[in-house]
Amino acid sequence: MDLFDILISASFWAAAIRIASPLIFATMGELVCERAGVLNLGIEGIMVAGAFAGWIAVWAGLPLWGGVAVAFAVGMALGGVHGILSVPFGLSQHVVGIGMTLLATSLTFYTYRVVLPEVSSPPKIEAFQAFEIPFLSKIPVLGPALFAQTPLTYAAFVLVIVTSLVLYRTPLGLAVRAAGENPSAVAAQGLSVTAIRIGAVMVGSGFMAVGGAFLTMSAFDSFFFDMVNGRGWICIALVVFGAWKPGKALLGAILFAAFDAFQIRLQQTPIGAVVPYQVFLMMPYLLSILALVVMSRRAEVPAALMVPFNKGER
Amino acid sequence: MRLEPIANPTLPRRTLPPALALIATFAVAALLVMIAGGNPADVFGLIFKGAFGSKFALLETLNRATPLIFTGLAIAVAFRAKLWNIGAEAQLYAGAVVTVVLGTGALPLPAPILLPLIAVAAMAAGALVLFIPALMKTRFGVDEVVTTLLFNFIFLLFVSYLLEGPLKDPMGMGWPKSARLVPEARLPRIIEGLRLHWGFGLALISAAVIWVIDAKTTLGFEMRAVGQNAEAARFAGIPVTKVILKTAVLSGGLAALAGFSEVAGLKGSLTLDLSPGYGYTGIVVAMLALLHPAGVVVAALFVAAIFVGADSMSRAAGVPSYIADIMLATALLLMVLAILLTKFRVRRD
């Protein structure tokens, strides 16, 4: 297949949107946390926990959307722990985040082994199926890519719009952004910086968990130990790449996913026969690092990101 | 709520929170063991027996502690200077790769010359792997947490490529595995007949050296100053960028020694599962040690004991060995909280 043929094929763009979906959820989650001033490095572990929680809930008999709700709730609970440790106690967000990732991952693996002892391969569930939107899905290339996806993918796009509206058009969004830019001003308004930040971390962590659940409930139909595989860390890079803005972050996630889909197809071409497959697999991580280096100079970091707020200190 | 610094913490104030954190960790683990249908007292007993119960168990614990001392030191050195090195895993593998490249017969040298040479080369490779993210931090302001994390994935893929390509053992029956080291490149055992190699000795020596650097040298002082307040350090005339880069070299080199010691001391060849996450566990070790080099040795022994003990407990009691990872993550989070509470009082508004 010619390289250009790949780029104009509908299946390529459909794959790109599918790959982007979990990243969109988790990137929005991280973005909400960071806009409120908290770097959430628990993201990788929270995605693992969400992937497991949603899947096991459906396996136990809940409907698919019930599974999504369970994943969201598990994410919120883990976010709550992160929030309490990092906000009122002001502990190092790096250490708390890494600790949360270790805790969430090991709790997930432990629960898996307790619930499913002695299974050689994990059971499958009836995952979300593609839902073709009438008329729109018939548009050439764009139709199959955007309008013949699973409901969870549509939800990811809705989430970007909602996040953007709430952040920029509501008093709540203003309070969240102010907590990340100028917490003293928030406190002067009589609002609780602590409550706003913990709330943002909980909701954001919920989104991350749903991003993980996308993997087990929409992209695949089962749970594997290494399935998140660094996606959380990539989402942190995507937030920087998107300059902490939902729209730009969405664009970054799609670009990134398109590149990922492209490298998978490149492996099938004559180039793939010469270049070791590991080089292709490295690409997403290298691209993330490159994005960080290019964007770091220009990025508008929330002024109070990683700065604990202790009332009465200033 | 509000945090209020305590001017002169009393003895109970300084010791009670960490003790409670440890007790709470075991309480959480006990609860999870009960959920899994186990008896906590039996399980903890089996973990203790599995880690210390026999000569074999004890040596296994010391062997397992060895790479953790190296990675724990690497993290402690870096975190002291607020260089967030989460990439010890990649640096470990860098050291292991160099050990295999130089140790499989490329250099026909006697052991007393070959071993130090390989160790230094391994350290240089690990240093380089951390130097790149450190340079990105000082040059472009790129957060090193994310870059060092991403490097772990990149480097592991690189090792996978090496083991299926240039470094693949032609006698390895198709397994992605390197050739075995020549005898001159193997770290000897400390006592003949006991399964404990000189990597453990080197780890203790490294801890002592870091202690001296911390306490007695200008570099040690500068690293701490940069970690406490980079702006103030710069104002005081400390070359902050240089200190961060030096820290990176030291930290990366230490993590690489873990790879050197595992290959030259324990395994004798390189496979993709050389490290079950020693680079990440090093973070827990360093934090439990309060970033102190002597503490790292104690914490590494504690962490290794839990891992080795949990492995053997899991076989006997049927409780998943992931209980060890949960205990360590819980201990990490509760311990940083406890340390805070030794210095601050929580006040209601």
Side-chain angles (χ1 to χ4, degrees), chain A residues 7 38 44 51 58 67 70 81 83 94 103 106 136 158 206 250 268 309:
Chain A
L7 284 177
V38 181
E44 181 83 8
V58 173
V70 167
V81 178
H94 285 117
L103 181 66
S106 52
L136 290 174
V158 172
L250 168 70
Q268 319 297 327
F309 180 72

Side-chain angles (χ1 to χ4, degrees), chain A residues 45-53 74 78 102-114 223 225, chain B residues 322 326:
Chain A
I46 292 170
M47 287 182 80
V48 174
F52 175 76
V74 166
L78 291 167
L102 293 175
L103 181 66
T105 310
S106 52
L107 268 176
T108 302
F109 293 174
Y110 183 81
T111 313
Y112 177 95
R113 284 269 183 259
V114 170
F223 175 83
F225 274 29
Chain B
Y322 290 109
I326 297 176

